[in-house]
Amino acid sequence: EVTNPDEVKAGLMELGVPRGLAQTLADEDAKIGLRIYLLDNSGSTAACDGNILRNMTMEGCSRWEEICHMAEEHARWNMTIGVPCEFLLLNCPAKDAGSLLEG
């Protein structure tokens, strides 16, 4: 777990964040005990009107894929800078056919 603001700043800069913004985020980070993300997994997230940026190219996807991508990116960022985080689903996971797929 990273707690030193200089280490947080360095971690953010490794992720490509500009120096000034990295400093501001590192300063704010000291005030955050836990980041909580509420992920919408309702049926409407199956709609294919989402977008993901990969390799500087926008790719079309479902809303659920977009949400998952965002969650993975934020998990990676939080792990890099040592900020605890939790991801919660808005709705209970689907239980039909034993599937845990959402959206």
Side-chain angles (χ1 to χ4, degrees):
E1 184 173 307
V2 178
T3 55
N4 179 329
D6 291 330
E7 291 177 24
V8 171
K9 178 181 172 183
L12 288 166
M13 290 175 59
E14 278 181 31
L15 293 168
V17 176
R19 181 180 303 275
L21 180 56
Q23 182 65 57
T24 300
L25 293 172
D27 293 342
E28 290 294 317
D29 186 69
K31 301 173 189 172
I32 298 171
L34 173 69
R35 287 194 175 115
I36 299 173
Y37 297 85
L38 181 60
L39 308 179
D40 181 2
N41 62 332
S42 61
S44 66
T45 62
C48 289
D49 58 359
N51 289 291
I52 295 173
L53 179 64
R54 287 195 188 160
N55 300 321
M56 300 307 290
T57 303
M58 294 301 290
E59 296 179 9
C61 63
S62 72
R63 292 177 189 173
W64 179 245
E65 290 169 320
E66 183 179 58
I67 291 166
C68 290
H69 180 75
M70 180 278 309
E72 290 168 357
E73 289 293 304
H74 280 260
R76 184 172 61 88
W77 278 56
N78 284 301
M79 184 178 71
T80 299
I81 63 174
V83 174
C85 62
E86 291 182 12
F87 296 87
L88 307 171
L89 295 175
L90 182 61
N91 301 294
C92 292
K95 294 181 182 177
D96 61 318
S99 171
L100 291 178
L101 293 177
E102 295 298 312

